[in-house]
Amino acid sequence: MRAAARVVLTRPGGSGAVRELCDRVVAARPEPPAAEARVRPHFGPVAIGDVLVGDGEPVYVIGEIGINHNGDLDLARRLIDVAADAGCQAVKFQKRTPAICVPEEQKGQIRQTPWGEMTYLEYKERTEFGRDEYAQIAKHCAERGLHWFASPWDVPSVEFLEEMDVLVHKVASAGVADHELLRALAATGKPVILSTGMSTLAEIDAAVEILGTEKLIMMHATSTYPLPPEEANLRTITTLKERYGVPVGYSGHERGLQISLAAVTLGAVCVERHITLDRTMWGSDHAASLEPAGLEHLVRDIRIIEQAMGDGVKRVFPGEEAPKARLRRVTV
C-alpha cells in the first residue's frame, strides 16, 4: 500500500488520484468477521417483599433515617411519616453492637452531647435502638405502607435483624471488606443491598464472591459528607452494571437534588438519601440530609423522569400531529 501510495500521489492523476488510493486501501482490507449479536444483559429485578427492584421497574426510593433519630423513638416515627408522605417505598436505619463496633481507642473518649458529657461508647449506646423500639418502628412502617430495614455493622446485629424479620439487608460502605459480616448476611438467604463507597473494584469483587449475584442490588456511592459534585462519578453506575450484571442504584450524600436525579437518568434503579427534620440538628449526618420538602421534591422529580425516559423508540406522538400538519414542509 505504501508503494501504491507513492505511485498514486506522486504522478499526475487528476482529481481521482486520492480516490484511487482510497479504493485500493478499501480493497486491501481483510473481510471483517461476522458481527456477533450482542444481547443486553437483564439486571434483575430483585424482589424486596412485594416490590421488584431493577431495570424497567419504578425507582425504589429509600429514606435513610440512619442515626438521625438521635435515639428518640418519637423522632424516628416523625421521620417515617416524612418518608411516607413524600412517596418513598422504604426507610432504613443502622444497627450496631457498640461494644463491637466502637474502636477500643475511641471508647473512653469524652464527647459533648445533647444529654451531657459522656464517653463515646456511652453515647453510641444511648442512641442505639433495641427490640422494643424496632418493634414499634416495624408497626408504624406497616401502618404507613413502608418497608423498613437496616445496615447491620456486626454479626450480632445481623442476628438481631433476622429476629425482627426484615425483608432485606443493607451493607454500608464501611462493611464492604468485613467478610465475616458478609458471610453472615449471605447465610440469611435474604436480598442484600451493597453500597460501594470508599471501595476498589477488587474489594467489591471479593464482596460479590461471598454474596453472590442472584439477590444482590448494588449501590454506587461516594462516602464524602457532604459530597462535592466532582466526586460523584455517576458514570460508575454503568461500570458496575456491566461488570456485575446486577441492578445498580445510587446512595447520595450531596446537598441538593441534581446529582440524585442525574443518577436516575443514568439507570439507577433505586435512590437512597439521608433524611432529617432539620439539617441544623445535632448529629453527624444531618447536614448531608434532605429536609421534608427536599425529599418530597426528589420523589416527585424521579417520577417525572421515569415518565420522560420513554422506551427509546422514535415515533411521532399525538401532540406532534397538529404542528406537523401546520409546519412541516416537504420537498423532493
Side-chain angles (χ1 to χ4, degrees), residues 113 147 265:
T113 77
H147 295 161
T265 68

Side-chain angles (χ1 to χ4, degrees), residues 152-290:
W153 286 61
D154 51 77
V155 172
S157 293
V158 176
E159 296 167 352
F160 175 90
L161 292 170
E162 278 295 282
E163 292 173 2
M164 300 302 300
D165 199 26
V166 294
L167 297 171
V168 60
H169 292 286
K170 170 80 186 294
V171 180
S173 293
V176 170
D178 187 343
H179 292 182
E180 179 187 28
L181 174 66
L182 299 184
R183 286 191 294 270
L185 291 171
T188 69
K190 300 276 182 68
V192 173
I193 301 173
L194 175 69
S195 269
T196 59
M198 54 189 177
S199 302
T200 65
L201 285 176
E203 291 170 331
I204 300 170
D205 286 346
V208 171
E209 185 69 23
I210 295 170
L211 295 171
T213 58
E214 184 179 354
K215 296 182 179 180
L216 181 64
I217 299 168
M218 202 168 280
M219 300 288 273
H220 169 56
T222 301
S223 299
T224 306
Y225 291 75
L227 172 69
E230 62 272 18
E231 293 187 12
N233 199 17
L234 289 180
R235 288 192 175 94
T236 305
I237 292 170
T238 301
T239 300
L240 296 175
K241 282 192 174 188
E242 292 176 350
R243 186 179 183 90
Y244 301 105
V246 300
V248 177
Y250 173 68
S251 179
H253 310 115
E254 71 274 11
R255 293 189 175 102
L257 308 181
Q258 300 96 327
I259 295 173
S260 293
L261 296 173
V264 174
T265 68
L266 287 173
V269 301
C270 56
V271 171
E272 176 187 76
R273 290 294 301 271
H274 286 264
I275 62 175
T276 181
L277 296 181
D278 184 341
R279 286 196 299 272
T280 65
M281 291 178 68
W282 187 89
S284 58
D285 291 346
H286 289 277
S289 301
L290 291 178

